């Protein structure tokens, strides 16, 4: 998948997706509108702590505020820790299916 193909899958307005509850509490994913794609990528670029290659941020989850990303090589939708930049959870193995 290319970044242009990924942007084409994103909504025109922010979308809320219900995720599996955590510790008995509801949590949600908020998917950014496609027009903000480049802006959001730039927000996470830092020379001192570079963002992992191949992970593109498409939104965030509301429980811990971690970014929701797409691995451009595998098309997996994952939650990445905003502190360690490591994958914390895989939400789906298909970004197309998950965003439907």
């Amino acid at each position: 998948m290319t970044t242009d193909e990924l942007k084409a899958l994103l909504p025109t307005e922010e979308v809320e997706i219900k995720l599996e509850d955590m510790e008995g509490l509801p949590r949600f994913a908020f998917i950014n509108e496609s027009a903000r794609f480049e802006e959001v990528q730039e927000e996470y670029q830092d020379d001192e702590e570079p963002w992992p290659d191949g992970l593109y941020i498409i939104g965030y989850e509301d429980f811990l505020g971690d970014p929701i990303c797409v691995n451009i090589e595998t098309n997996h939708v994952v939650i990445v820790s905003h502190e360690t930049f490591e994958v914390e959870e895989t939400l789906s193995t298909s970004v197309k299916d998950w965003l439907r």
Side-chain angles (χ1 to χ4, degrees):
M1 174 176 286
T2 67
T3 55
D4 288 337
E5 290 171 328
L6 176 57
K7 285 193 292 189
L9 293 173
L10 297 177
T12 57
E13 295 181 3
E14 185 177 75
V15 172
E16 180 180 319
I17 298 173
K18 175 82 169 93
L19 299 176
E20 186 176 316
D21 291 355
M22 181 177 278
E23 299 174 11
L25 299 171
R27 67 181 183 145
F28 297 88
F30 292 90
I31 306 306
N32 299 324
E33 61 271 16
S34 58
R36 292 197 57 228
F37 183 81
E38 301 297 336
E39 172 191 345
V40 171
Q41 305 317 303
E42 290 175 13
E43 288 176 12
Y44 281 85
Q45 295 307 315
D46 185 343
D47 292 336
E48 293 177 18
E49 295 183 74
W51 188 253
D53 289 337
L55 289 178
Y56 290 86
I57 301 144
I58 61 168
Y60 63 95
E61 66 92 24
D62 69 338
F63 197 74
L64 296 174
D66 289 329
I68 294 181
C69 303
V70 172
N71 181 319
I72 206 77
E73 294 176 11
T74 65
N75 294 330
H76 291 181
V77 180
V78 295
I79 296 177
V80 175
S81 168
H82 67 277
E83 295 175 350
T84 65
F85 302 153
E86 293 184 12
V87 173
E88 296 285 320
E89 180 180 353
T90 299
L91 298 174
S92 176
T93 57
S94 170
V95 65
K96 289 180 184 179
D97 292 343
W98 192 73
L99 287 175
R100 288 186 191 170

